[in-house]
Structures are given as structure tokens and as C-alpha cells.
Amino acid sequence: MADRRQVLRLGALAAGAPAVLTAAGAPAAAAPPRPPRRPALVIGHRGASGYRPEHTLASYELAARMGADFIEPDLVATKDHVLVARHEPEIGGTTDVASRPEFASRRRTVEIDGVPVTGWFTHDFTLAELKTLRATERIPAVRQHNTLYDGLFPVPTFQEVLRLRERLCRELGREIGVYPETKHPTYFRRLGLDLETPLVQALRRRGLNRRDAPVLVQSFEAANLRSLHDDFRLRVPLIFLTSATGGPYGDPQSYAEYLTPAGLRELARYTDGIGPEKGQVIPRKADGTLGTPTGLVADAHAAGLRVMPYTFRAENQFLPAELRSGTDPAAYGRALDEQVTFLRTGIDGFFTDQPDIGVLARDLALAPA
Ligand code: G3P
Ligand code: CA
């Protein structure tokens, strides 16, 4: 039986092998209290965005090589209706567009889900134009090391992400899933650039519109998921993302209402799980330290839904107060402790910017104490 020291060694040497301990036959009875029902999924959030500019093929590839079970592209549309991977329609924060004189006149203000946003927008660029840009690090003050890669990588299309997935499955000899998120689907639909049609087409084209495909589709808009399920006949599991406050854009029902036991039972009609903000699983106290777990995991499981919270990041500034190390906001704190604590609530997966740390945390959570 592997002990905690062996896990640490295995985790350090073989981050590419998820669920090492389960594969080695660690008996469930020896696991820590309240183990996950099955090994939690490590989801490479925007790829391995702790180590590469987010939403680049380099970021996704590194996530897979670090052992992520899924890679996560956020999806938006170009002017010619092609899906590309960006966290939001505005691209001034994650590309070098601001330094391109030929695109200076494209800068403008638009209203996205009721909020004015100024910058450059994917829907004002054809794919060919967008391909001339290069990705840059979103948070250089925290991830200065990632600025090393500024200017190297183009913005990938969703098709390119799916092709990368196939290549990495072959090379690594294991299934790597893709976990796309539709970003602002109502906004894009009103522009005549709906995200649903090209998403479903792309999945069909690669034989992935089936229940057992290594695909999970997520959205903050429940109506978008309902439509994907009921109208577009998307057969892959769907995951409803939630925040601690507010509700989906244009929806009279709040996230809190969706997460009541009755709301969860209704969600289970057309979704397979929820992706809550992590504070909805374990809130922080007024002093910034971790509080007591809510009943959300148990409630969701009772409704037959999986729970995969976001987003786990190793840097001090993102960690609970008691898990920070030193005073540098960009330095790593005790991220493993945070993730193991969450894993012991029974979550079914988690989004992380540092997939290697996520794989190690999962191994630690599964190991006998
Ligand atoms: O999709 C999970 C998580 O990524 C949701 O938040 O804003 O990082 O896309 P965001
Ligand atoms: Ca996302």
C-alpha cells in the first residue's frame, strides 16, 4: 500500500499518471474520511494557465502532459462565425492587439450582458485577422514567468483544440477530455453569431456528440444548456456553472435558487453536474480563512449531479489566509492543503491553473493518512 511519502514521490515523478494510487489498488476502506466516489477529475483551467499564457495550444498541451484529465477551452466567436478559445470576447487583455496599429480603429465600447466593456472584440475580427495576433499573459504582475512566452502563440480555433486533443491521446496513450465553455451565449446569439451551432457541428464532425464522449460542456446560462440539450440534441454531459451571487444573464432565477434541492432536481433533467465557485463548497470566513463546508456537495449528489468547483490557483493571493506562505502575493502558498481539503468534501473534479499540483493533491487525498 502506498503511503503519503510514496504519493509525494509518485506525484513528483509521474504527474502524467492520474489516479496512481487507485490503479495500484489502495483499498477504499483505508482512504481518508469522505473520499470522492471516484477519483476526482483534474481539469486544466484554460490549459495550464499557471505556466503558459491561457487558452493557447501550448497551455493545453502542457496541461495534458502534466496529467490533467480534461483541458478547458472557453469559446467565443469571430466575425466570420468561427469558434476560438478566449475567456471573453474582449482580446486586449490576452493578446498583443493593442500594439497593432492596423487594428487601432477597432477599439470601441460595447455592452456585454449589461456591462459596458472597452477594447477589441473577437466578433470584430475575421479568423484570418485574429490569427495575426499573438497571445500574452493576462496577469503578468502575478505570473511574470509566463511573459517569457508573450508573442509566441496564436489564438487557437476550437477545431485546433480538438485536433490537439486527438494527437495527445495517441501520444500519451490515454483519454484526454475536452471541457468547452460557451461564453456569453445570449450576447453572441444577438450578434447573429450563436455559439451552439458551430459547437455542436465541431463535436459531430469529430464523432464526439455522444453520451460517452470525453467531453463536458459548461455554461453560466442554464437556458443555453437547456437549448443545447433540448433543441440542439447535444448528447454529451452538460455542466451548469454558478457564482456565489447573482444569476444567469437575462434569467429571473438566481444561482442560489438553482442550487436549492428542488432547483438541483430540475437541473438534473438536462444537466449532469454543477461547476460552483469554490466558495459555494467551502466559504471563507470574514478573516479570509476557510470556513465550514456547505451542504452543496451532498445536495447535488442527492439530485444525481456531479460537483466540479473552480478555480484552484497556487499563488498566495488566491489562497485562504491561513494557507499563504510569506507576504509575496505571487509566491506559492499551501495550495495542496487547500485542494486536499476540498477533495475531502467529495467533489467530483476541480478546475486548476496548475494541473501538476492538482494531480498531486488528488493523489494525496486518496492516500491513507
Ligand atoms: O469554467 C470554470 C471557470 O473557468 C469559470 O470561470 O471565468 O474562469 O471561465 P471563468
Ligand atoms: Ca471557463
Side-chain angles (χ1 to χ4, degrees), residues 45-46 55 72-74 87 179 181 183 218 220 241 351:
H45 185 245
R46 312 181 195 177
H55 292 312
E72 192 236 3
D74 294 323
H87 179 260
Y179 206 134
E181 177 186 348
K183 281 291 183 189
Q218 40 166 350
F220 278 103
L241 298 168
F351 293 83

Side-chain angles (χ1 to χ4, degrees), residues 341-362:
T341 301
F342 273 80
L343 285 160
R344 288 181 178 166
T345 67
I347 58 173
D348 304 279
F350 60 110
F351 293 83
T352 177
D353 288 3
Q354 288 101 356
D356 53 343
I357 295 173
V359 169
L360 181 52
R362 177 178 58 192

Side-chain angles (χ1 to χ4, degrees), residues 75 81-83 158-159 162 180-182 189 194-210 213 215 217 224-238:
L75 298 179
H81 210 173
V82 179
L83 291 184
F158 184 44
Q159 285 287 358
L162 294 178
E181 177 186 348
T182 53
R189 175 165 288 280
D194 78 288
L195 302 178
E196 296 90 339
T197 302
L199 169 66
V200 174
Q201 274 174 358
L203 292 174
R204 278 208 190 109
R205 205 170 299 143
R206 307 211 80 77
L208 293 171
N209 186 19
R210 50 188 168 79
V215 179
V217 170
N224 176 238
L225 295 175
R226 258 198 317 274
S227 177
L228 283 167
H229 182 272
D230 295 346
D231 306 327
F232 286 85
R233 319 298 287 174
L234 182 59
R235 287 296 159 252
V236 305
L238 306 178

Side-chain angles (χ1 to χ4, degrees), residues 11-356:
L13 294 176
V20 168
L21 292 176
T22 300
R34 304 178 67 191
R37 292 175 301 175
R38 52 186 169 178
L41 297 176
V42 175
I43 304 151
H45 185 245
R46 312 181 195 177
S49 54
Y51 305 116
R52 295 289 185 276
E54 68 184 43
H55 292 312
T56 57
L57 293 183
S59 183
Y60 300 132
E61 175 157 357
L62 183 59
R65 292 190 182 282
M66 287 181 155
D69 301 298
F70 278 75
I71 52 176
E72 192 236 3
D74 294 323
L75 298 179
V76 294
T78 64
K79 185 177 184 176
D80 44 351
H81 210 173
V82 179
L83 291 184
V84 293
R86 290 287 93 191
H87 179 260
E88 58 270 306
E90 204 287 312
I91 49 176
T94 60
T95 73
D96 60 1
V97 67
S99 69
R100 300 296 186 94
E102 68 273 32
F103 296 127
S105 64
R106 306 272 175 104
R107 187 169 188 270
R108 65 181 178 124
T109 300
V110 302
E111 191 173 292
I112 301 178
D113 299 354
V115 178
V117 181
T118 298
W120 293 261
F121 300 90
T122 56
H123 48 77
D124 289 336
F125 290 75
T126 63
L127 178 63
E129 289 172 332
L130 205 63
K131 280 289 187 185
T132 68
L133 304 178
R134 290 294 176 269
T136 56
E137 171 55 39
R138 176 190 292 277
I139 45 173
V142 182
R143 294 176 175 162
Q144 191 278 334
H145 51 282
N146 281 0
T147 64
L148 177 69
Y149 309 101
D150 281 358
L152 289 184
F153 308 125
V155 172
T157 65
F158 184 44
Q159 285 287 358
E160 289 167 341
V161 178
L162 294 178
R163 283 198 292 270
L164 172 73
R165 187 198 81 81
E166 290 170 4
R167 172 170 70 76
L168 289 171
C169 289
R170 285 194 301 274
E171 278 185 36
L172 300 177
R174 67 182 177 88
E175 195 74 272
I176 294 154
V178 65
Y179 206 134
E181 177 186 348
T182 53
K183 281 291 183 189
H184 306 286
T186 297
Y187 173 75
F188 276 105
R189 175 165 288 280
R190 287 178 183 165
L191 293 175
L193 297 170
D194 78 288
L195 302 178
E196 296 90 339
T197 302
L199 169 66
V200 174
Q201 274 174 358
L203 292 174
R204 278 208 190 109
R205 205 170 299 143
R206 307 211 80 77
L208 293 171
N209 186 19
R210 50 188 168 79
R211 188 75 195 145
D212 62 348
V215 179
L216 294 161
V217 170
Q218 40 166 350
S219 178
F220 278 103
E221 293 187 18
N224 176 238
L225 295 175
R226 258 198 317 274
S227 177
L228 283 167
H229 182 272
D230 295 346
D231 306 327
F232 286 85
R233 319 298 287 174
L234 182 59
R235 287 296 159 252
V236 305
L238 306 178
I239 306 295
F240 181 45
L241 298 168
T242 65
S243 299
T245 58
Y249 177 68
D251 188 331
Q253 199 168 326
S254 68
Y255 289 121
E257 288 166 337
Y258 275 106
L259 298 183
T260 62
L264 291 165
R265 281 195 298 277
E266 167 57 17
L267 272 178
R269 186 184 70 74
Y270 56 94
T271 73
D272 287 78
I274 56 172
E277 192 278 321
K278 63 185 179 182
Q280 296 178 282
V281 174
I282 307 182
R284 290 191 192 174
K285 295 189 275 198
D287 65 359
T289 61
L290 275 183
T292 306
T294 66
L296 181 58
V297 173
D299 289 349
H301 285 172
L305 296 170
R306 290 191 265 175
V307 183
M308 293 182 262
Y310 65 91
T311 299
F312 292 86
R313 299 176 164 117
E315 294 93 348
N316 277 329
Q317 76 172 70
F318 302 114
L319 289 169
E322 76 277 29
L323 299 181
R324 295 175 194 150
S325 302
T327 55
D328 179 357
Y332 280 8
R334 286 160 48 204
L336 288 168
D337 290 358
E338 184 197 32
Q339 292 173 28
V340 168
T341 301
F342 273 80
L343 285 160
R344 288 181 178 166
T345 67
I347 58 173
D348 304 279
F350 60 110
F351 293 83
T352 177
D353 288 3
Q354 288 101 356
D356 53 343

